Amino acid sequence: MDRVRSAFNRMIKSERYSRFTLQPAEDGERHIEVKLSEDTTEVGDSAGGSPSFRPAPRRQPRTTVCYLALGTLLIFVTGYVLGYISHRESEAEKVNCGEVPETSGRPLETPAAMDTAMDAQMDAQMDWDDVAQLLTQKLTSQAFAKTLSDFDSPRRLAGSAEDVRLANRISDAFKDADMNPWTDVHYVQLQRPDSVRPNRVLFGSDVFKPAGYLAYSANRTVQGKLVYGNYGRPEDLDVLQNNDVGLSGAVLLLRAGKISFAEQVENVASKGAAAVLIYPDSQDYDYVADTALYGHVHLGSGDPYTPGFPSLNHTQFPPTRSSGLPKIPAQTITATMASALLHNISGPEPAAASGFKGGLASVSYSLGGVGNVTVEVNNVLVNTEIHNVFGVIKGFTDPDRYVVLGAQRDAWGKGYAKATVGTSVLVELARAVHQMVEKDGFRPRRSLVFASWSAGEYGSVGATEWLESYMSSIDKRVVSYISLDGVVMGRGSFMASASPLLYSLLENTMKEVKSPVGSGSVFEMVGTKYWNAQMLKPMSLDDPAYPFLAFSGIPSVSFHFISPNTEAYPYYGTDLDSMDHLAYQTNHRTDEMAVAAAQFAGRVALRLVHDHLLRLDVSRYGDVVTGAVIRVYRRVQQLIKSGQLKDVNANWLNRARGAFQRAARRVNNDVRNTDLTDEAACRILNDRIMTVEHTLLSPYVSPLETPFRHLLLGRGAQTLGSVAETTDMEQLHTQLALATWTLQGCANAMVGNIWDIDEEI
C-alpha cells in the first residue's frame, strides 16, 4: 500500500496535473482554475500574436500505472466489504428486537411511517362525503347550548368594555384551537346621543325626548310641515305628490321597514324634505308601543369620515366626509309618539289601494302638510377604538387563497339574534374544523379565516375598515365571504342573498343539509319548484356581506333561517333582541337551529377550500348580465326613436355581453377538461374564475365618491340599472361607454391569456 500511495502522490505532483489548481473564491468556496504550462502565453500575448499551446506530457513508468490501478481496485473492494458488513449488522439488530408491541390492534410505527400512512389514508378516504360527515359529527346542539350561553351579554355596544371583553374571549377560543389569533385595531368616528342635550320632537304642546336615535344624522334644529309618507319609497313619495302634498321643507313621518333607514332619508332628502322621523308601526312590528328604535343613516359602510381608506391611528388624511352622509336631521320615535302625531296631522287621506294605512288604532293615516313640527338632533361624534379579531386554519396546498367567515359581535342592546348566535356559530365552526384537521386528517387545500367584527351596527364599520386596509390585494386572495350575522331569525323557512357565482353552490348545499323541521333537506323545506325565486333575495345595502361584494368584488353570501311568511327579524335595533324572543321565534329550539346554520355555512366554506377547482359558477351570471343589458338596450332605443338621444349605439354593449357569455362558456369548458392532478393548471383556472367579481367593479369611478362600484349589484351612476333609468342624456352617453368597457374587461379577464381575447368589440 505504501508503494501505491507513493506512486499516486508522485503522479498528481507531476507537471501534467499541475495545470489544475484549487483557488479560494470570495464566498469561501474553492474553484478549479485551469492553467497552461509556465512557458506558454495567453492568446494574443506573444510577440507574433500566435496562439499558445500545451507541450506534450512526459510518459509515466508502466509500474506506476499498474500500482495506481491496483490501489483503486483495492479501495473499492474494501469499501464494498465494509458496507455489506454494516448492513448485515443493522438487519440483525432489527430481527433480534423481538415482537413489536401493538396499540389498538396495530403495530407501532415510526413518525415518518405514520405520516406516510396518514397521507395515503387521506388520499384514499378524505373525499367530500367524508368531510361533510365529519362536520356533522363535530357540530352538536349540546355544544351550542353552552356556547350561546357563554357569549350572551346584556350590553355589547361597539368600543365598550363589554365589547373588548367579548373580543378577548373570542381570541382565547381561537388560541385554544391553535389558530394563531391576531387583532386588527381601528380608530373610528361613532355618533352617539348627547347626554346633556337630548334629541327632541315638538308638535303643538307635545314635547318628546326619544331614547333611540339614528347614528350619522345631520345635527341641527328644523321646523316644517308634518307629512306622513308611508315607507318613504319612491312610489310612496309619488302618492304624496299626486295628492298635491308638498315635500319641500317638510318633515316626513315614515314607518320603518321595506328599505333601510339610510335609503329612506336619501329618498325624502332628494325631494327637498327638511327632516325625517321614523317609527315602528304595529302592522310591521308586533311589540310594545314604547319600544325605542336604533340604527344608522349612512348610505354606505365603514367610518364615514375616512371614506375609501382605513381609519388607522397613524393615517394622515385631511378631514373628509362620505358622500353617503345625510344633509338633513333624522330621528327615530316610538309607536306611541307616532300615534300622537298622526292623531293631529290632518290633511287629505290616502286611497285604500295605496297601502298607506298601518296598524295603529284610531288613526286615519292622513297625509298631513298642515301643522308644523320641530325636530332637534344633537348627536355627538366619539373617536372610538375598535378591535377586529381573527383566527386562521391554514391550507395545505394554496394557503394564500382563503375563505373568510365573519360575524359582528356588537349590538345596540342585547343583540342575541344579531350578534350572539353569529358569534357562537363562528367559534363552534372554528373548533370543529380545527378538530377535523388535528384529529381526523382533514387537509384543506385553501385557508379558512374566522373574523369577529366590531361596530357592525354602525354600517359594517369594522369589516369595511379591514377591507379598506387591504384594498390592493384582498380580491386576489379571498375566494369568498360568508356572513354569519342573523343566520337564525326563526324556524320553518330559509332565505339567502348572494353573488350569482355562488348560486349553484347554495343550491347543492341546500340539498345536502338536513332540514331542522322535518325529514327532508333544506331544499325540500323551501320548495323545489322555483326555489331561487322563493329564497334568493337581492342583497340590500344594509346586508353585512354587501361591502365585500359591491365594494371589494368578493363573491359573498348571507343566509337566514327564518319563520314562514316573514322577511326580517322584528326585534333588530331594539332592546328586545334577547334570548327569550328568539326562543319564541324558533319554538324554543335555538340551539338546534344554530347547528343547522353552522352546518350550512360550514359546508359552503369547506367545499370552497376542499375541491381542486373552485365551486364558483360563472355561467350563473349570464342571466343577470343579459337582463341588465336588455333593459339598457330598450331604454336607448326608445330615446333614439323619440329623438332625445343621438350618436349613441347600444350594440356595443350587446357585443360586450356576447363576449362575456363566450368567455363564461370557455371557462366552463376548461373546467370540464382540466386534469385535477395538475395543481398548476387548477390554480391558473381558479385565478381566472376569481377575477370575475372584482373586474365587475367599475375602474372609472372613485371609491371615495362611489364606494359600491359593482356594475350590476352596486349603487351609483356606473351601474347598468342607473344607465337604464337616467334622464340626463350626456350622463347616459358617458356611462354607457364606461359600462361597456367594464363588462368587456371582465370578459377579457375570464379568458386569461391576452392572445386568446375576443376582439369582436
Side-chain angles (χ1 to χ4, degrees), residues 1-11 61-75:
M1 288 295 295
D2 290 337
R3 295 182 64 183
V4 172
R5 188 180 301 110
S6 177
F8 185 76
N9 288 338
R10 285 196 307 270
M11 186 173 66
R62 291 180 179 272
T63 55
T64 301
V65 176
C66 291
Y67 283 132
L68 178 61
L70 287 173
T72 302
L73 180 62
L74 182 60
I75 292 171

Coordinates of all heavy atoms in Angstrom, one line a residue, residues 1-11 61-75:
M1 N 0.8 -1.2 0.0 CA 0.0 0.0 0.0 C 0.9 1.3 0.0 O 0.5 2.3 -0.6 CB -0.9 0.0 1.2 CG -2.1 -1.0 1.2 SD -3.2 -0.6 -0.2 CE -3.9 0.9 0.4
D2 N 2.0 1.2 0.7 CA 2.9 2.4 0.7 C 3.4 2.7 -0.6 O 3.6 3.8 -1.0 CB 4.1 2.1 1.7 CG 3.6 2.1 3.2 OD1 2.5 2.7 3.4 OD2 4.3 1.5 4.0
R3 N 3.8 1.6 -1.4 CA 4.3 1.8 -2.7 C 3.2 2.4 -3.6 O 3.4 3.3 -4.5 CB 4.8 0.5 -3.3 CG 6.0 0.0 -2.6 CD 6.5 -1.3 -3.2 NE 7.0 -1.0 -4.6 CZ 7.5 -2.0 -5.4 NH1 7.5 -3.2 -5.0 NH2 7.9 -1.6 -6.6
V4 N 1.9 2.0 -3.5 CA 0.8 2.5 -4.2 C 0.6 4.0 -3.9 O 0.5 4.8 -4.8 CB -0.5 1.7 -4.0 CG1 -1.7 2.4 -4.6 CG2 -0.3 0.3 -4.5
R5 N 0.6 4.3 -2.6 CA 0.4 5.7 -2.2 C 1.5 6.6 -2.7 O 1.3 7.7 -3.2 CB 0.3 5.8 -0.7 CG -0.1 7.2 -0.1 CD -0.1 7.2 1.4 NE -1.0 6.2 1.9 CZ -0.7 5.1 2.6 NH1 0.6 4.9 2.8 NH2 -1.6 4.3 3.0
S6 N 2.7 6.1 -2.6 CA 3.9 6.9 -3.1 C 3.8 7.2 -4.6 O 4.0 8.3 -5.1 CB 5.2 6.2 -2.8 OG 6.3 6.9 -3.3
A7 N 3.4 6.2 -5.4 CA 3.3 6.3 -6.8 C 2.2 7.3 -7.2 O 2.3 8.2 -8.1 CB 3.0 5.0 -7.5
F8 N 1.0 7.2 -6.4 CA -0.1 8.2 -6.7 C 0.3 9.6 -6.4 O 0.0 10.5 -7.1 CB -1.3 7.7 -5.8 CG -2.5 8.5 -6.1 CD1 -3.3 8.3 -7.2 CD2 -2.9 9.5 -5.2 CE1 -4.4 9.0 -7.5 CE2 -4.0 10.2 -5.5 CZ -4.8 10.0 -6.6
N9 N 1.0 9.8 -5.3 CA 1.4 11.2 -4.9 C 2.4 11.7 -6.0 O 2.3 12.9 -6.3 CB 2.1 11.2 -3.5 CG 1.1 11.0 -2.4 OD1 -0.1 11.2 -2.6 ND2 1.6 10.5 -1.3
R10 N 3.3 10.9 -6.4 CA 4.3 11.4 -7.4 C 3.5 11.8 -8.7 O 3.8 12.8 -9.3 CB 5.3 10.3 -7.8 CG 6.3 10.1 -6.7 CD 7.5 9.3 -7.3 NE 7.1 8.1 -7.9 CZ 7.0 6.9 -7.3 NH1 7.3 6.8 -6.0 NH2 6.6 5.8 -7.9
M11 N 2.4 11.0 -9.1 CA 1.8 11.3 -10.3 C 1.0 12.6 -10.2 O 1.0 13.5 -11.1 CB 0.8 10.2 -10.6 CG 0.1 10.4 -12.0 SD -0.8 8.9 -12.5 CE -2.1 9.0 -11.3
P61 N 6.2 5.8 -16.0 CA 6.6 4.3 -16.0 C 5.4 3.4 -15.9 O 4.4 3.7 -15.3 CB 7.5 4.2 -14.7 CG 7.9 5.6 -14.4 CD 6.8 6.5 -14.9
R62 N 5.5 2.3 -16.6 CA 4.4 1.3 -16.6 C 4.1 0.8 -15.2 O 2.9 0.6 -14.8 CB 4.8 0.1 -17.5 CG 4.9 0.4 -18.9 CD 5.2 -0.8 -19.7 NE 5.3 -0.5 -21.1 CZ 4.2 -0.6 -22.0 NH1 3.1 -1.0 -21.5 NH2 4.4 -0.4 -23.2
T63 N 5.1 0.6 -14.3 CA 4.9 0.1 -13.0 C 4.0 1.1 -12.2 O 3.2 0.7 -11.4 CB 6.2 -0.1 -12.2 OG1 6.9 1.2 -12.3 CG2 7.0 -1.2 -12.9
T64 N 4.2 2.4 -12.4 CA 3.4 3.4 -11.7 C 1.9 3.2 -12.0 O 1.0 3.3 -11.2 CB 3.9 4.8 -12.0 OG1 5.2 4.9 -11.7 CG2 3.0 5.8 -11.3
V65 N 1.6 3.1 -13.3 CA 0.3 2.9 -13.7 C -0.4 1.6 -13.2 O -1.5 1.6 -12.7 CB 0.2 2.9 -15.3 CG1 -1.2 2.6 -15.8 CG2 0.7 4.2 -15.8
C66 N 0.4 0.6 -13.1 CA -0.2 -0.7 -12.5 C -0.5 -0.5 -11.1 O -1.5 -1.0 -10.6 CB 0.9 -1.8 -12.7 SG 1.1 -2.3 -14.5
Y67 N 0.5 0.1 -10.3 CA 0.2 0.3 -8.9 C -1.1 1.2 -8.7 O -1.9 1.0 -7.8 CB 1.4 1.0 -8.2 CG 2.5 0.0 -8.0 CD1 3.8 0.3 -8.3 CD2 2.3 -1.2 -7.4 CE1 4.9 -0.5 -8.1 CE2 3.3 -2.1 -7.1 CZ 4.6 -1.8 -7.5 OH 5.7 -2.6 -7.2
L68 N -1.2 2.2 -9.5 CA -2.4 3.0 -9.4 C -3.7 2.3 -9.6 O -4.7 2.4 -8.9 CB -2.3 4.2 -10.4 CG -3.5 5.2 -10.4 CD1 -3.6 5.8 -9.1 CD2 -3.3 6.2 -11.5
A69 N -3.7 1.4 -10.6 CA -4.9 0.6 -10.9 C -5.2 -0.4 -9.8 O -6.4 -0.5 -9.4 CB -4.7 -0.2 -12.2
L70 N -4.2 -1.0 -9.3 CA -4.4 -1.9 -8.2 C -4.9 -1.2 -6.9 O -5.8 -1.7 -6.2 CB -3.1 -2.7 -7.8 CG -2.6 -3.7 -8.9 CD1 -1.2 -4.3 -8.5 CD2 -3.6 -4.9 -8.9
G71 N -4.3 0.0 -6.7 CA -4.8 0.7 -5.5 C -6.2 1.1 -5.6 O -7.0 1.0 -4.6
T72 N -6.6 1.6 -6.7 CA -8.0 2.0 -6.9 C -9.0 0.8 -6.7 O -10.0 0.9 -6.0 CB -8.2 2.6 -8.3 OG1 -7.3 3.7 -8.5 CG2 -9.7 3.0 -8.5
L73 N -8.6 -0.4 -7.3 CA -9.4 -1.5 -7.1 C -9.5 -2.0 -5.7 O -10.6 -2.3 -5.2 CB -8.9 -2.7 -8.0 CG -9.6 -4.0 -7.9 CD1 -11.0 -3.8 -8.4 CD2 -8.9 -5.1 -8.8
L74 N -8.4 -1.9 -5.0 CA -8.4 -2.3 -3.6 C -9.2 -1.4 -2.7 O -10.0 -1.9 -1.8 CB -6.9 -2.3 -3.0 CG -6.7 -2.7 -1.6 CD1 -7.2 -4.2 -1.4 CD2 -5.2 -2.7 -1.2
I75 N -9.2 -0.1 -3.0 CA -10.1 0.8 -2.2 C -11.5 0.5 -2.4 O -12.4 0.5 -1.5 CB -9.7 2.3 -2.6 CG1 -8.3 2.6 -2.1 CG2 -10.8 3.2 -2.0 CD1 -7.8 4.0 -2.6

